[in-house]
Amino acid sequence: MKTLIAYYSRTDNTKKLAEKIAKELKADIDEIQDEKDRSGWIGAFIGGFDSLFKIKTPIENKKDPEKYDLIILGTPVWAGKMTPAIRTYFCKYEFKNIAFFSTSESEETKQFTEMTLLSKKPITTLSIKKSAINSNETNKKINELIHQLKQIK
Ligand SMILES: Cc1cc2nc3c(=O)[nH]c(=O)nc-3n(C[C@H](O)[C@H](O)[C@H](O)COP(=O)(O)O)c2cc1C
């Protein structure tokens, strides 16, 4: 099964998790860039506003997810929702099979409800607190995720 890990990350937490999953799965990886300036507190504030009001944003990504059998899509949680870059990604592409992961301050899961509505039911989801990204518990959860994904082969 041809698998792509695609993610958006502003401050590298989601990137670190994406890289761990990609390494374990030996899968391709693609960073989705938000073309809006999200740097500094003003960028974060506007980002939170855009997320809350479901505003899309111009994005850049290198790999075409429609050429893959499975997309594992990662986002930080902003204002309890997916980030604008991921919202745009959903509008741009259709996916054969999908799984979601996220990082957040607290262990948030409600973002997955809307992500499911915008695409399709994910095979599995993984929500990780940013403080736990490098923990053994997260490594165990990644192994469980991989186990679940292997069921669809
Ligand atoms: C604008 C903004 C809004 C956020 N909203 C939430 C939130 O609603 N719930 C939460 O648990 N964390 C929230 N966070 C924390 C991020 O989800 C967390 O730091 C995440 O790991 C950042 O991922 P990144 O380093 O890949 O950008 C927010 C962060 C930002 C910048």
Side-chain angles (χ1 to χ4, degrees):
M1 171 155 315
K2 216 177 158 206
T3 303
L4 176 68
I5 321 293
Y7 68 94
Y8 168 74
S9 184
R10 177 176 168 268
T11 50
D12 286 355
N13 295 326
T14 314
K15 180 180 187 154
K16 280 182 202 139
L17 188 58
E19 286 173 347
K20 273 172 177 274
I21 298 169
K23 193 174 162 206
E24 288 299 318
L25 273 172
K26 297 182 181 64
D28 288 353
I29 188 163
D30 194 22
E31 179 165 10
I32 302 162
Q33 306 276 355
D34 187 332
E35 298 287 282
K36 265 198 192 177
D37 182 7
R38 304 289 184 193
S39 62
W41 72 267
I42 296 177
F45 180 81
I46 295 169
F49 178 92
D50 287 353
S51 272
L52 189 62
F53 292 99
K54 304 184 180 179
I55 294 168
K56 291 196 278 292
T57 189
I59 58 169
E60 270 293 325
N61 54 292
K62 292 199 171 64
K63 295 197 161 65
D64 179 359
E66 293 182 352
K67 293 192 174 143
Y68 289 81
D69 304 304
L70 169 66
I71 308 300
I72 307 175
L73 187 59
T75 182
V77 178
W78 285 1
K81 299 186 184 301
M82 74 189 92
T83 44
I86 297 301
R87 187 176 293 282
T88 306
Y89 197 75
F90 277 126
C91 294
K92 209 170 153 188
Y93 300 108
E94 285 189 11
F95 311 102
K96 288 186 193 133
N97 294 290
I98 197 147
F100 302 142
F101 65 97
S102 66
T103 69
S104 46
E105 192 75 45
S106 54
E107 207 174 299
E108 298 261 16
T109 55
K110 56 182 180 292
Q111 66 281 359
F112 297 139
T113 307
E114 202 194 1
M115 290 167 79
T116 303
L117 287 173
L118 285 184
S119 55
K120 53 169 66 171
K121 192 169 183 289
I123 294 151
T124 186
T125 64
L126 177 66
S127 163
I128 299 291
K129 271 165 83 163
K130 69 175 188 183
S131 57
I133 290 170
N134 292 317
S135 69
N136 286 337
E137 191 55 34
T138 294
N139 293 340
K140 271 192 217 154
K141 286 181 179 174
I142 291 173
N143 287 335
E144 280 164 28
L145 173 108
I146 289 166
H147 179 75
Q148 279 167 316
L149 294 174
K150 284 192 173 152
Q151 312 295 313
I152 60 159
K153 271 190 175 174

